[in-house]
Amino acid sequence: MLKINNIASGYGESQVLFDVSLSIPEGQIVSLVGSNAAGKTTLINTISGLNRVWSGSIEFLGEDITKTSPADRVELGLVQTPEGRRLFPDLSVKDNLLMGSYLKSVRGKREKNLKNAYDLFPRLYERRDQMAGSLSGGEQQMCAIARSLMTCPKLLILDEPSLGLAPILIMQVFEIIKDIQKENVTILLVEQNVQQALKLADKGYVLESGKVTMEGTGEFLLHDDGLRKAYLGM
Amino acid sequence: MKLLNNKIIRWAAFFLVLIIAGLVVDNNYYLDILITVVFYACMASAWNIVGGYAGQVSVGHVAFLGLGAYTSTILFLKLNITPLIGIFAGGIMAMVLALLIGFLTIRLRGPFFTLSTIAIAEILLVLAVRFHGLTGGSEGLNIPYRPSVYNFVFKSYFTYYMMFILLMIAIVAVISYINKSRTGFYLRAVREDETAASSLGVDVLRSKLTALLVSAFFTGVGGALYAQYLLFIDPHTVFTVSFSTKVAALSIVGGIGTVIGPIVGSFILTPLEIFLRSQLGGTYQGLYLLIYGVIMVSVILIIPKGIYGALSDAIKRRRKQVKNELSA
Amino acid sequence: MLLQLIISGILLGGVYALTSMGLSLVFGVSKIVNFAHGDFVVIGMYSALSIFYVTGLVPYISWIIVIPISFGVGYLAYQLMKRTIGEDVNQIFITIGLSMIIQNLILMLYKSDYRAMKSLFDSSIKLGNVYISYESLLAFGIAVLVTIGFLWFLNKTDTGRAMRAVSQDKSAASLMGVKVEKISVLAFGLGISMAGLAGCLLLTMYAAYPTAGGVYNLLAWVIVVLGGLGQVGGALAAAFIIGICETLTGFYIGPDFRQVVYYLFFIAILIIKPQGLFSGIKLHKKVKDEVTE
Ligand SMILES: Nc1ncnc2c1ncn2[C@@H]1O[C@H](COP(=O)(O)OP(=O)(O)OP(=O)(O)O)[C@@H](O)[C@H]1O
Ligand SMILES: [Mg+2]
């Protein structure tokens, strides 16, 4: 579904990503793990078009999107739930969700999607008129995921959805991710929560200092000694 | 050749040429043009200290000019104090105002500092009209034409010309001094990255305030001198914000944040303005300011470093190239 | 007398609100520090004046034409300024340059005379001791109408919501498929349209002259700062305060002091409470389930 071919990217003069290639098959959950500052966020922002590709190319659904604008990528079904939620703090919860269905192509399904979102997260329905900035961390994460689902994603990229959540909430989030996959949404999951992320994943990638150092099935990576030492402390 | 590489000698040569030019023309019409050019070069250079070096854009600088002009003129007309003292009193009054403005507003983020300087200039304009007992109101004040050194009124335009050249030498010298001093270093650091500079212990506010004070002093002195030259001041000439925008435009066009930039700007734009005004007269009121605006917008879009900045960049690049070729 | 002044102030404030909401939009959404905002007000004034000279249409009608003209002017200005977005200093300079261009273009075309519209009405409404001129009432009515329309747009339409989203987080908005650049231009055009409309309405009360933009520019900024940056609701309230402040000082201290008072007010607010007087008030009305129910 998504193919990344040897891309390089970075900020200003400093290069962050070096020759990164990965591919995400349709219908799967792919996890991307790596330590802080490995370049995970940089990579997915490059996929979403917020960062410029220096060299290499990105294909989505067989189409070259290397130079496509971020908005047009969303239109194609490539949707990101950014790190730190990035809700619109001074917009109500409901307005945030409605922003998710901003695109004309999904506006027709707005009512249905909104109902689904509220069904999935009843909490959000209760708080629909509250400013998003005043939600708790967990609620914000739910709102951010719900907002992305409003866009009818084909590929949903989640950047550290478990960040700052209590363990019980983390479990919940991972359950939800599984449910989303069942709705025929392909998922790229960026996580520091290596164990959980790899357990869930059909396929995993390890990114270190801007380079892919390991790839394989989730199961395979979980049993890799080097990875266990580095990320799981075992 | 080596001699010309010395900065001081280059500046001395520059001023010498200016003085000789003043001696050669010996015609009041051309001398007036030279005086105006040098006056605006002074004002633009003074503005540049705070607008360019400190990155605090003031569009109310005319307040300092007006305060300087009114101080020396009122001291002379009401108390018969010689403008020789009055000029410095004017500069000091401008500094006092700058201190007040600085304390109140220098910590404001860019645009809001700019807006408050405009507001202050507008307030002074209204006050100058209102307190006509002191200021002559909107009719303004006339300085009687009685040439003498004590009155600081001269028959010869060349004397005035020399006054403005002296002011310019003083400004250039002070800017060069600041550039080499700690304050200059701080100001450059602040302009590069204010947060980084302040986290490294640079006293950002103090550096900016120093720049504002120095700038205000020279603007005030310039205003007082200009009043002596025109022998007339009124609120709508010495407190009008459009004077400040013009002065800012000269700096931007010449090259902001450099010693030479504002001078270059004035030497190009001021004669152009005088030429246009004399050619067009009243038929196209405002055309020359329109052209100023167009030039200003184009320079910002095309060469944001200004004419001098762009030229010196090009020269540096060329030198590097030559060096590389030589070493290769 | 006091009541009379307060009512006149409110009526005037309604028109000022348009200018400052426009500036708020330009600053908040398009992220442009616009020092030429007042000159766009003046463009509105002279547009209305020219329409009157040519067709005889009065401002109460011609505002419908002035709005698209202003939008067009705004669109062009945006093209000029967009390259400086994010560079405060260059933006200040470029808008000041633009202001010089506009002021002197008008000066060349119309000379420096004060131009005013003759009053259309020779009577005014009397309510008890209070006289209200038809001019200010009509202008106020149109301003209120447009303001309501604008708030509806901002709160209830997708484009309006996108504008609010862009003002809060550009890149998050682009992740929702919002074309940020388009929203930016649109917000700028709308902001300038409101300035133009305000100018058109002001022409029924005040004379136009080429450099009037300086006054209106500061006025708009004063209101925006007073109301809290980027907060349309606050700007609305601040506009009434400034309107009343203007009529009161105009009467009790002298017309030439009108501006002095609110400039002092402005500096005081910047120093004492830079987040504005109404930092609590937000621009959203609660949207009552317009989709689900
Ligand atoms: N906007 C930016 N400008 C400059 N450098 C940046 C920017 N964003 C990130 N970087 C740098 O790029 C590198 C990779 O950062 P990135 O955010 O991609 O890491 P990450 O893997 O997502 O880390 P984390 O797990 O902490 O989120 C870091 O060294 C960071 O400092
Ligand atoms: Mg990250």
Side-chain angles (χ1 to χ4, degrees):
Chain A
M1 172 168 240
L2 181 80
K3 258 181 76 89
I4 292 171
N5 307 313
N6 314 90
I7 60 167
S9 182
Y11 305 93
E13 305 262 287
S14 73
Q15 186 169 355
V16 175
L17 299 177
F18 301 85
D19 198 29
V20 174
S21 296
L22 52 91
S23 83
I24 299 172
E26 187 150 1
Q28 294 197 346
I29 297 183
V30 175
S31 291
L32 176 68
V33 298
S35 52
N36 286 110
K40 306 182 294 295
T41 301
T42 306
L43 174 60
I44 62 169
N45 279 344
T46 313
I47 297 175
S48 289
L50 296 178
N51 291 344
R52 205 173 50 83
V53 175
W54 291 7
S55 65
S57 67
I58 305 176
E59 276 171 50
F60 184 63
L61 296 168
E63 208 178 308
D64 186 348
I65 57 161
T66 316
K67 294 216 165 69
T68 311
S69 75
D72 288 337
R73 293 184 204 204
V74 180
E75 186 96 56
L76 291 172
L78 201 166
V79 176
Q80 188 198 143
T81 312
E83 184 174 11
R85 292 94 194 210
R86 302 286 284 272
L87 296 176
F88 304 109
D90 291 338
L91 247 55
S92 68
V93 169
K94 184 170 175 190
D95 276 349
N96 266 280
L97 296 180
L98 292 180
M99 275 311 295
S101 60
Y102 172 79
L103 283 174
K104 286 216 174 61
S105 50
V106 297
R107 245 177 247 179
K109 295 193 197 123
R110 174 174 281 180
E111 275 182 55
K112 192 177 129 258
N113 284 343
L114 196 61
K115 191 171 171 308
N116 286 346
Y118 286 151
D119 284 347
L120 194 59
F121 304 106
R123 214 49 208 176
L124 294 181
Y125 182 71
E126 286 164 31
R127 318 237 148 204
R128 63 191 183 281
D129 288 329
Q130 192 174 319
M131 291 303 138
S134 65
L135 293 176
S136 77
E139 290 166 341
Q140 289 195 9
Q141 188 59 58
M142 289 171 194
C143 188
I145 295 176
R147 185 176 65 177
S148 298
L149 292 178
M150 294 286 295
T151 319
C152 299
K154 294 194 178 102
L155 170 65
L156 177 61
I157 306 176
L158 296 154
D159 194 352
E160 305 208 25
S162 71
L163 191 76
L165 299 188
I168 178 138
L169 275 176
I170 296 182
M171 299 299 292
Q172 224 178 321
V173 166
F174 282 106
E175 285 305 312
I176 289 163
I177 293 172
K178 259 192 261 173
D179 289 344
I180 297 171
Q181 184 205 15
K182 287 194 195 114
E183 305 279 319
N184 270 329
V185 179
T186 311
I187 287 170
L188 171 58
L189 176 63
V190 174
E191 262 302 331
Q192 299 230 19
N193 215 314
V194 176
Q195 179 133 26
Q196 306 261 23
L198 290 178
K199 234 190 244 166
L200 198 68
D202 299 300
K203 192 176 173 187
Y205 286 91
V206 179
L207 194 70
E208 274 169 31
S209 313
K211 296 185 187 96
V212 174
T213 52
M214 250 188 270
E215 62 173 288
T217 62
E219 198 64 9
F220 169 79
L221 290 177
L222 263 181
H223 291 99
D224 183 271
D225 283 341
L227 186 129
R228 285 165 69 94
K229 262 203 204 100
Y231 293 99
L232 302 173
M234 292 187 253
Chain B
M1 201 56 217
K2 195 141 189 204
L3 213 60
L4 271 179
N5 275 334
N6 188 321
K7 264 198 184 148
I8 295 178
I9 296 193
R10 264 191 290 180
W11 279 111
F14 170 67
F15 286 115
L16 205 65
V17 169
L18 276 188
I19 294 167
I20 292 171
L23 284 170
V24 169
V25 294
D26 194 29
N27 159 326
N28 280 352
Y29 177 72
Y30 290 111
L31 262 173
D32 177 64
I33 293 178
L34 279 175
I35 289 173
T36 313
V37 168
V38 174
F39 167 67
Y40 276 103
C42 289
M43 294 300 95
S45 300
W47 178 89
N48 188 40
I49 299 173
V50 65
Y53 287 100
Q56 293 287 97
V57 179
S58 157
V59 186
H61 244 59
V62 75
F64 305 130
L65 174 106
L67 200 59
Y70 270 104
T71 303
S72 81
T73 307
I74 289 171
L75 283 179
F76 178 60
L77 293 181
K78 308 272 168 192
L79 304 172
N80 201 25
I81 294 173
T82 168
L84 217 52
I85 295 169
I87 284 165
F88 291 99
I92 287 165
M93 280 299 283
M95 265 170 104
V96 171
L97 178 66
L99 202 63
L100 184 74
I101 295 177
F103 267 128
L104 292 179
T105 66
I106 201 119
R107 67 191 74 233
L108 296 175
R109 209 170 63 106
F112 303 106
F113 173 78
T114 308
L115 286 163
S116 19
T117 59
I118 301 178
I120 286 163
E122 296 282 359
I123 290 172
L124 286 183
L125 170 64
V126 175
L127 293 181
V129 174
R130 198 66 193 291
F131 292 103
H132 37 74
L134 198 62
T135 63
S138 45
E139 273 107 70
L141 294 171
N142 279 300
I143 300 169
Y145 181 71
R146 283 193 300 259
S148 83
V149 175
Y150 185 85
N151 293 350
F152 213 72
V153 173
F154 306 101
K155 265 200 199 110
S156 138
Y157 273 32
F158 185 75
T159 320
Y160 286 110
Y161 183 55
M162 282 310 295
M163 296 293 156
F164 285 108
I165 293 216
L166 279 180
L167 178 62
M168 192 152 133
I169 292 173
I171 293 175
V172 167
V174 168
I175 294 179
S176 308
Y177 172 77
I178 291 179
N179 259 342
K180 285 204 195 91
S181 76
R182 186 189 293 261
T183 308
F185 173 73
Y186 282 175
L187 286 175
R188 274 193 296 278
V190 170
R191 214 165 28 138
E192 285 297 314
D193 187 342
E194 179 156 344
T195 355
S198 72
S199 71
L200 288 175
V202 171
D203 193 341
V204 175
L205 293 183
R206 196 193 168 118
S207 313
K208 285 182 176 177
L209 199 57
T210 312
L212 183 64
L213 289 182
V214 174
S215 172
F217 176 77
F218 284 123
T219 309
V221 169
L225 269 180
Y226 203 53
Q228 289 304 121
Y229 173 59
L230 293 182
L231 296 178
F232 168 73
I233 50 172
D234 77 326
H236 289 280
T237 28
V238 300
F239 279 127
T240 172
V241 168
S242 71
F243 174 88
S244 304
T245 44
K246 200 158 90 183
V247 163
L250 298 178
S251 297
I252 294 157
V253 170
I256 204 169
T258 60
V259 193
I260 302 173
I263 300 174
V264 172
S266 179
F267 273 76
I268 295 173
L269 287 187
T270 310
L272 180 74
E273 175 183 335
I274 294 168
F275 172 76
L276 283 174
R277 271 213 273 202
S278 68
Q279 289 300 303
L280 303 166
T283 40
Y284 290 108
Q285 243 193 89
L287 180 64
Y288 71 94
L289 277 173
L290 179 73
I291 293 174
Y292 258 93
V294 172
I295 293 178
M296 189 159 152
V297 168
S298 326
V299 164
I300 291 164
L301 288 177
I302 302 162
I303 37 169
K305 282 184 165 178
I307 294 172
Y308 174 73
L311 273 181
S312 69
D313 272 4
I315 290 169
K316 262 182 217 148
R317 234 178 294 131
R318 178 85 195 120
R319 273 202 194 137
K320 226 186 205 166
Q321 218 176 340
V322 171
K323 226 186 227 164
N324 286 347
E325 274 164 24
L326 283 180
S327 63
Chain C
M1 198 62 219
L2 189 65
L3 187 65
Q4 167 81 61
L5 290 171
I6 290 176
I7 288 177
S8 318
I10 290 175
L11 295 180
L12 188 60
V15 180
Y16 285 168
L18 288 175
T19 356
S20 52
M21 280 191 302
L23 183 64
S24 209
L25 207 57
V26 162
F27 185 73
V29 181
S30 317
K31 310 285 180 216
I32 288 182
V33 179
N34 186 11
F35 274 29
H37 200 70
D39 299 297
F40 292 109
V41 174
V42 177
I43 289 183
M45 287 178 125
Y46 278 93
S47 303
L49 206 60
S50 312
I51 293 173
F52 177 72
Y53 289 156
V54 176
T55 65
L57 289 176
V58 292
Y60 306 110
I61 298 167
S62 64
W63 62 275
I64 299 168
I65 312 169
V66 171
I67 287 181
I69 294 177
S70 303
F71 190 91
V73 172
Y75 180 83
L76 293 177
Y78 182 86
Q79 300 310 319
L80 208 62
M81 289 181 211
K82 64 180 175 192
R83 272 208 273 162
T84 60
I85 289 177
E87 306 164 17
D88 276 2
V89 172
N90 278 345
Q91 234 170 56
I92 295 172
F93 290 147
I94 201 166
T95 50
I96 286 175
L98 195 67
S99 163
M100 283 167 99
I101 294 175
I102 295 173
Q103 289 188 4
N104 292 290
L105 210 56
I106 293 176
L107 181 64
M108 277 174 65
L109 293 174
Y110 295 88
K111 305 285 172 278
S112 61
D113 320 339
Y114 280 59
R115 286 162 195 260
M117 294 280 298
K118 257 208 222 87
S119 174
L120 289 176
F121 310 97
D122 35 34
S123 64
S124 52
I125 306 170
K126 186 168 185 278
L127 283 174
N129 282 332
V130 178
Y131 288 88
I132 300 170
S133 73
Y134 283 102
E135 270 95 5
S136 47
L137 201 63
L138 256 174
F140 182 75
I142 295 171
V144 168
L145 213 70
V146 172
T147 305
I148 291 173
F150 173 67
L151 289 178
W152 174 83
F153 165 78
L154 213 53
N155 283 299
K156 304 270 179 161
T157 66
D158 277 286
T159 313
R161 195 179 297 117
M163 277 185 190
R164 288 187 288 149
V166 167
S167 81
Q168 292 172 33
D169 192 333
K170 256 188 201 184
S171 57
S174 74
L175 289 177
M176 319 278 102
V178 177
K179 294 204 160 66
V180 174
E181 169 82 12
K182 264 194 189 156
I183 293 290
S184 234
V185 189
L186 191 64
F188 193 82
L190 266 182
I192 302 308
S193 302
M194 289 167 89
L197 170 63
C200 181
L201 297 177
L202 280 170
L203 186 65
T204 63
M205 299 178 251
Y206 290 124
Y209 55 97
T211 52
V215 174
Y216 293 124
N217 184 50
L218 238 97
L219 180 81
W221 277 100
V222 170
I223 294 172
V224 166
V225 167
L226 209 60
L229 287 178
Q231 290 177 15
V232 175
L236 218 57
F240 291 118
I241 294 184
I242 290 297
I244 294 169
C245 171
E246 180 168 333
T247 49
L248 287 182
T249 37
F251 183 77
Y252 289 110
I253 309 179
D256 47 339
F257 266 67
R258 283 183 318 206
Q259 279 124 29
V260 171
V261 170
Y262 59 67
Y263 291 163
L264 287 173
F265 216 30
F266 173 67
I267 296 172
I269 288 290
L270 277 178
I271 296 158
I272 301 163
K273 203 163 184 292
Q275 69 274 32
L277 282 183
F278 307 99
S279 43
I281 300 175
K282 293 286 154 64
L283 52 97
H284 343 267
K285 298 282 152 294
K286 288 213 166 114
V287 188
K288 276 272 168 285
D289 301 301
E290 82 267 40
V291 179
T292 45
E293 284 149 24

